[in-house]
Amino acid sequence: MDQTGCEDLIQVKKESGGIAIITINRPKSLNSLTRAMMVDLARAFKEMDADESVQVVIFTGAGRSFCSGVDLTAAESVFKGDVKDPETDPVIQMERLRKPIIGAINGFAITAGFELALACDILVASRGAKFMDTHARFGIFPSWGLSQKLSRIIGANKAREVSLTSMPLTADVAGKLGFVNHVVEEGEALKKAIEIAEAIIKNEQGMVLRIKSVINDGLKLDLGHALTLEKERAHAYYSGMTKEQFKKMQVFIAGRGSKKPSPKL
């Protein structure tokens, strides 16, 4: 990205076919984040949301780490800065991004890096990847969602163990717990993420956005209200469709039905 200050540290590459890859590119520091990098990362996700040519975003880190957390040598500027500004908060911008985000996790995802992984919709991790919550070890209060999101995915007891001990959660265990979708061999995470992105892009993109939205919004509700939300959005969607749109739907379904089914993910 052509950005002032750390344009090389947050890289955005748009592939053909609707895939964008956002990379944290500070490998010598295990992709630890400065305040300026956080601002640029938030901007990158916001721009991908507005870019109509982008349908899926892949998020990864350069080198042997996804993200080792906040650069603690710049901790004061991070924690005492304008941390409540949603425009410069990468996790808020990830949560606002309407398009699917696939995390390709290599190596360490520590604390803030763990929270960035939690903000992805789908996770692919290399077999050697490790997720660690070191908030308790260093006296840092979580503010990007780790204390609330992790327990809802892997269960409260396991989440308490991960956060209170600061012991690593391996990719294999994370996969068994349902946090990581796919565990792959070293060097294969990005390849698998692209494969998943291509499968998503084959679908009707308007409905991809709607389904991601209703899943994520429903997770904030109890099941009864979430089911009501789904019913209301379905009713609004079908009520707004014209005869021409229904005809296009039938043509699309007929065309898809004539093709061989895709291999399993």
Side-chain angles (χ1 to χ4, degrees):
M1 293 182 73
D2 184 14
Q3 297 173 349
T4 302
C6 59
E7 63 270 15
D8 294 328
L9 301 184
I10 302 298
Q11 296 183 341
V12 178
K13 181 181 179 183
K14 290 197 288 185
E15 304 281 346
S16 60
I19 299 172
I21 302 174
I22 296 178
T23 305
I24 305 174
N25 184 41
R26 199 187 180 202
K28 291 182 180 179
S29 298
L30 297 178
N31 296 324
S32 61
L33 298 171
T34 64
R35 179 63 183 159
M37 289 172 68
M38 292 180 188
V39 171
D40 279 0
L41 190 57
R43 183 185 298 120
F45 280 108
K46 186 174 182 179
E47 289 177 356
M48 293 306 97
D49 186 62
D51 191 331
E52 293 184 0
S53 70
V54 174
Q55 296 173 318
V56 179
V57 175
I58 295 173
F59 185 23
T60 192
R64 58 192 180 94
S65 175
F66 170 65
C67 174
S68 61
V70 170
D71 184 342
L72 294 180
T73 64
E76 186 172 358
S77 68
V78 171
F79 298 121
K80 286 194 173 182
D82 191 9
V83 294
K84 292 184 179 180
D85 180 5
E87 295 302 309
T88 60
D89 186 321
V91 170
I92 288 178
Q93 292 305 319
M94 290 175 74
E95 291 171 346
R96 288 180 175 180
L97 183 64
R98 296 164 299 147
K99 301 155 188 177
I101 304 172
I102 303 171
I105 312 299
N106 44 295
F108 294 105
I110 301 176
T111 314
F114 200 161
E115 291 176 303
L116 290 171
L118 277 164
C120 295
D121 298 300
I122 297 168
L123 286 178
V124 179
S126 62
R127 197 164 298 281
K130 290 182 174 65
F131 302 86
M132 290 181 66
D133 179 7
T134 61
H135 283 106
R137 179 175 296 175
F138 295 110
I140 301 169
F141 201 95
S143 60
W144 278 357
L146 204 157
S147 69
Q148 302 304 309
K149 292 179 180 178
L150 187 63
S151 62
R152 286 163 168 78
I153 298 171
I154 69 172
N157 283 7
K158 189 62 179 178
R160 279 191 285 261
E161 180 185 1
V162 169
S163 293
L164 299 180
T165 66
S166 298
M167 296 294 288
L169 181 66
T170 65
D172 283 330
V173 173
K176 291 174 183 176
L177 292 171
F179 173 47
V180 167
N181 297 75
H182 299 276
V183 179
V184 297
E185 297 305 318
E186 298 300 322
E188 295 293 313
L190 184 59
K191 178 181 177 182
K192 183 63 178 178
I194 291 172
E195 178 186 323
I196 296 168
E198 289 172 343
I200 292 171
I201 288 169
K202 289 178 182 177
N203 293 327
E204 202 284 312
Q205 288 306 296
M207 190 53 67
V208 166
L209 301 186
R210 289 181 175 89
I211 290 176
K212 168 179 167 167
S213 175
V214 77
I215 291 173
N216 288 358
D217 291 346
L219 285 170
K220 302 169 188 174
L221 307 171
D222 62 70
L223 180 58
H225 287 96
L227 290 170
T228 299
L229 175 71
E230 180 193 66
K231 189 70 72 177
E232 288 173 347
R233 291 193 184 178
H235 178 73
Y237 175 72
Y238 290 119
S239 295
M241 287 183 68
T242 64
K243 289 184 178 181
E244 184 63 26
Q245 287 173 316
F246 275 110
K247 185 177 179 180
K248 286 182 179 179
M249 178 193 290
Q250 291 171 332
V251 170
F252 181 79
I253 292 170
R256 294 294 294 170
S258 65
K259 296 179 182 179
K260 293 182 180 179
S262 300
K264 293 182 179 179
L265 290 173

